[in-house]
């Protein structure tokens, strides 16, 4: 199940925007669903609560939450989300949270992570949170950049990141390279 306010995950499953339809679809033995909560951000809290309750009840699935800072705060999260993040492992849940604003996001969620990846951030408070979480110097997080370059045939994007896997006891720097052919290049 994906909480998908930006319509980014439709390729991974059926997109629904009706809570009753989502809950019903989650009763199937197998499902791949993207819930789009609509454009009314003020209604997100109630909808997110229902989705979290449904995910917890269904168990045995992956729950991806995009734009986590829109539905949690630095020192507050709905009880249903706390159930997902603190007790979800016992329900067979795998939880993935994405945010561009770590400083504004539920810190209890960060405290229970088994794996984290951080990319370039703009604001100092976000960089501080991630440096603390990853237990690395602030300068390492601040140095993360995404670069664009051109070759004669491709547009190349390099996305640098830091990651930590607490279970495996590993951490480090890495990057993703994306190559797109230039228009008209052969």
């Amino acid at each position: 199940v994906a909480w998908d306010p930006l319509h980014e995950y439709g390729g991974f499953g059926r997109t629904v925007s009706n809570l009753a339809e989502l809950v019903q679809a989650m009763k199937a033995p197998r499902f791949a669903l993207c819930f789009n909560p609509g454009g009314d951000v003020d209604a997100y809290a109630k909808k997110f609560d229902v989705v979290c309750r449904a995910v917890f009840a269904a168990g045995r699935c992956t729950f991806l939450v995009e734009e986590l800072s829109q539905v949690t705060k630095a020192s507050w999260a709905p009880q249903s989300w706390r159930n997902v993040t603190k007790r979800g492992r016992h329900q067979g849940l795998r939880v993935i949270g994405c945010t561009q604003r770590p400083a504004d996001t539920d810190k209890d969620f960060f405290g229970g992570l088994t794996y984290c990846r951080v990319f370039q951030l703009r604001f100092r408070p976000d960089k501080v949170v991630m440096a603390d979480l990853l237990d690395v110097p602030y300068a390492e997080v601040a140095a993360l950049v995404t670069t664009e370059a051109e070759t004669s045939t491709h547009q190349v994007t390099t996305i640098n990141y830091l990651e930590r896997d607490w279970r495996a006891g590993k951490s480090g720097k890495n990057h993703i390279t994306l190559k797109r052919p230039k228009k008209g290049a052969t």
Side-chain angles (χ1 to χ4, degrees), residues 15 47 49 52 73 84 87 89-90 99 114 120 123 125 137 140 143 147-148 164 174-175 180 182:
T15 297
K47 291 179 179 181
D49 178 62
C52 288
K73 303 292 177 225
V84 164
R87 297 176 35 217
R89 175 175 56 93
H90 301 289
T99 184
T114 55
Q120 180 176 357
F123 294 106
E140 287 189 38
T147 60
E148 302 279 344
R164 183 164 197 158
N174 211 330
H175 67 277
R180 294 176 301 281
K182 290 171 83 174

Side-chain angles (χ1 to χ4, degrees), residues 37-144:
D40 182 5
V41 178
D42 292 334
Y44 281 13
K46 288 182 181 178
K47 291 179 179 181
F48 187 64
D49 178 62
V50 172
V51 172
C52 288
R53 289 173 191 268
V55 165
F56 189 81
R60 299 178 323 277
C61 69
T62 298
F63 183 29
L64 182 145
V65 179
E66 186 61 67
E67 302 297 337
L68 188 54
S69 65
Q70 289 184 325
V71 290
T72 71
K73 303 292 177 225
S75 59
W76 177 86
Q79 183 61 48
S80 57
W81 171 248
R82 290 174 35 198
N83 285 340
V84 164
T85 60
K86 291 184 174 197
R87 297 176 35 217
R89 175 175 56 93
H90 301 289
Q91 294 292 100
L93 296 179
R94 179 174 181 231
V95 181
I96 303 168
C98 307
T99 184
Q100 295 179 47
R101 297 304 316 270
D104 294 343
T105 304
D106 173 29
K107 298 308 180 285
D108 283 339
F109 170 67
F110 290 148
L113 294 178
T114 55
Y115 177 83
C116 181
R117 185 178 280 181
V118 61
F119 300 91
Q120 180 176 357
L121 296 165
R122 300 280 188 257
F123 294 106
R124 182 175 179 77
D126 297 321
K127 295 173 191 177
V128 168
V129 165
M130 297 314 292
D132 286 348
L133 175 63
L134 296 174
D135 197 23
V136 298
Y138 171 85
E140 287 189 38
V141 176
L144 293 171

